[in-house]
Amino acid sequence: MATASFILTDPVAGEAVLPWGKGRMASLGGVSCLLYRTRDGSNRHCAYFRDLSSGQASAVVLMGTAPSNQWSYNAEYVWTSPEELWVCGGAGPVTARQYQLSGSPLPASAQVRSTTDFGDAESRALGMTRLQTGGVVTAWYQHVSGPDIAYGFAYKAPGQDWQTVYPVWLHDSSSGFAAQVATIAEHPADGSIWFFCKRDGGSFAHIVHLNVVDGSLVVDWAESGFLADVSDVSRAIHTEIPSLVAVSNPVKGVLELAFQNQMLKHYDPPDGPLALSTQVSIAHIHADKTLEWSVWPVYVPRLSLLGLIAEHGSLWIGAHPTDPVDGHQYGYDDYVAMAKLEN
């Protein structure tokens, strides 16, 4: 069941906006954060903060137009403290930016404190997550041809320098150039780090399981064939660049993984021919890899970006729904930034 939905608009442009990067929302102390960019031609990149209880909100400009090095490509972000926000993205190299936030009770301004590059001209950003210790982990891959792809991970403990783990090799059935989708999150039950990735056109996802041991990031195991159960299309990930996002749910003690499944339906957008939409499944993953499932019974465009946060045991999702939510039919350009899922 979904409740408390609303449309995200930019306070300056006064119009609907697009999620920036991968679209995953961040949260801290009952406040959500969503990165977005404007549609009005200014292409401003901003962070939208909203108190989940009171509804009070603020929009903070992080930068103007996107720079030539495309550091905002596939950006993901984590909120580690009321004064610190990390954004990591890029299409060669991958760049992690640390922002100093100011303002109360919600952030009102942001300044860049540091920038760090990873990889090379062929590197592409894949994800970033916050750990319970206050550290952050980011991931990327090498956009090259072939069935064997190299992935990289970087870890920063509070007050320490970055350390990297590279390469981590994964084998896929495809051998050509292909885009990747991925997400990374910490499991609340044991502090392990789960990385999920999928190659465009592939029929399954990969998992890389990591841990921080004696202050160092290490890979425990990796496996393929995840989310490939075609006997139940609600548990099979869509083959063509699906959105997927994972978040920690400490109240439930599980890792929540939302992804676009193979439950398909055509819809009629106002500016083009018929297009495909999918439903969104959520895998509730226990530390021992056992799974429970739920489906958000709303269709979203196949290439849309999903946002997801867990607060007080409930899930909040962000999406462009093509079906009514709470009995309301949203416009094609509307990004429904909050739809509470009872689970």
Side-chain angles (χ1 to χ4, degrees), residues 43 53 101 122 158 230 235 336:
N43 198 28
S53 298
L101 302 176
E122 304 302 328
V230 293
R235 300 185 183 185
V336 183

Side-chain angles (χ1 to χ4, degrees), residues 60 88 123 182 185 234 278 283 313-314:
V60 176
C88 187
S123 302
S234 72
T278 78
S314 296

Side-chain angles (χ1 to χ4, degrees), residues 188-208:
D190 60 5
S192 59
I193 302 157
W194 295 60
F195 171 74
F196 306 89
C197 64
K198 182 190 175 297
R199 201 169 186 175
D200 184 25
S203 60
F204 58 82
H206 302 277
I207 305 175
V208 178

Side-chain angles (χ1 to χ4, degrees), residues 2-342:
T3 61
S5 303
F6 71 94
I7 301 171
L8 176 60
T9 58
D10 180 71
V12 176
E15 63 180 6
V17 300
L18 289 170
W20 165 26
K22 296 175 64 176
R24 182 171 84 167
M25 295 180 284
S27 64
L28 185 70
V31 177
S32 68
C33 174
L34 175 71
L35 298 196
Y36 72 87
R37 61 182 177 86
T38 58
R39 297 171 178 263
D40 63 354
S42 65
N43 198 28
R44 292 183 306 116
H45 289 63
C46 305
Y48 183 86
F49 299 94
R50 183 175 188 267
D51 189 300
L52 296 176
S53 298
S54 69
Q56 183 180 359
S58 67
V60 176
V61 176
L62 296 183
M63 65 177 188
T65 57
S68 58
N69 69 354
Q70 298 183 2
W71 79 265
S72 61
Y73 171 83
N74 217 22
E76 194 153 29
Y77 48 102
V78 295
W79 196 4
T80 53
S81 76
E83 296 82 28
E84 183 180 72
L85 177 73
W86 287 90
V87 182
C88 187
V94 174
T95 302
R97 287 199 173 192
Q98 179 189 31
Y99 284 91
Q100 173 74 45
L101 302 176
S102 301
S104 181
L106 297 178
S109 64
Q111 297 292 329
V112 176
R113 287 182 56 188
S114 68
T115 62
T116 304
D117 290 341
F118 305 103
D120 55 28
E122 304 302 328
S123 302
R124 303 291 185 268
L126 284 178
M128 190 178 210
T129 194
R130 178 188 73 199
L131 306 183
Q132 298 177 45
T133 60
V136 293
V137 177
T138 189
W140 69 93
Y141 80 104
Q142 295 302 106
H143 186 62
V144 297
S145 179
D148 297 303
I149 300 296
Y151 295 79
F153 301 90
Y155 165 62
K156 187 181 188 305
Q160 303 295 317
D161 293 333
W162 286 95
Q163 57 176 271
T164 60
V165 177
Y166 178 88
V168 177
W169 293 95
L170 294 177
H171 181 81
D172 208 286
S173 57
S174 175
S175 60
F177 284 94
Q180 297 261 353
V181 291
T183 184
I184 185 170
E186 181 183 30
H187 203 291
D190 60 5
S192 59
I193 302 157
W194 295 60
F195 171 74
F196 306 89
C197 64
K198 182 190 175 297
R199 201 169 186 175
D200 184 25
S203 60
F204 58 82
H206 302 277
I207 305 175
V208 178
H209 188 272
L210 307 101
N211 259 299
V212 176
V213 179
D214 296 328
S216 298
L217 185 67
V218 297
V219 176
D220 298 316
W221 50 263
E223 68 176 44
S224 302
F226 187 54
L227 303 180
D229 184 7
V230 293
S231 65
D232 184 347
V233 292
S234 72
R235 300 185 183 185
I237 193 167
H238 196 270
T239 58
E240 296 185 56
I241 319 182
S243 181
L244 71 162
V245 57
V247 297
S248 174
N249 191 337
V251 173
K252 301 290 185 179
V254 297
L255 197 64
E256 310 282 10
L257 176 67
F259 62 94
Q260 290 182 283
N261 60 35
Q262 292 192 25
M263 300 175 69
L264 308 178
K265 185 174 73 172
H266 284 94
Y267 71 102
D268 190 10
D271 58 352
L274 285 176
L276 277 177
S277 60
T278 78
Q279 285 195 343
V280 177
S281 293
I282 301 173
H284 315 288
I285 305 172
H286 294 267
D288 62 1
K289 292 197 292 185
T290 58
L291 304 175
E292 297 170 354
W293 300 88
S294 59
V295 177
W296 190 37
V298 175
Y299 283 85
V300 300
R302 185 179 62 82
L303 297 178
S304 64
L305 294 170
L306 299 177
L308 189 70
I309 59 175
E311 282 289 335
H312 308 300
S314 296
L315 297 179
W316 297 74
I317 199 165
H320 286 283
T322 59
D323 282 355
V325 176
D326 303 330
H328 178 77
Q329 179 65 62
Y330 290 94
Y332 178 68
D333 289 335
D334 294 338
Y335 189 81
V336 183
M338 296 290 174
K340 187 177 181 182
L341 306 177
E342 303 290 354

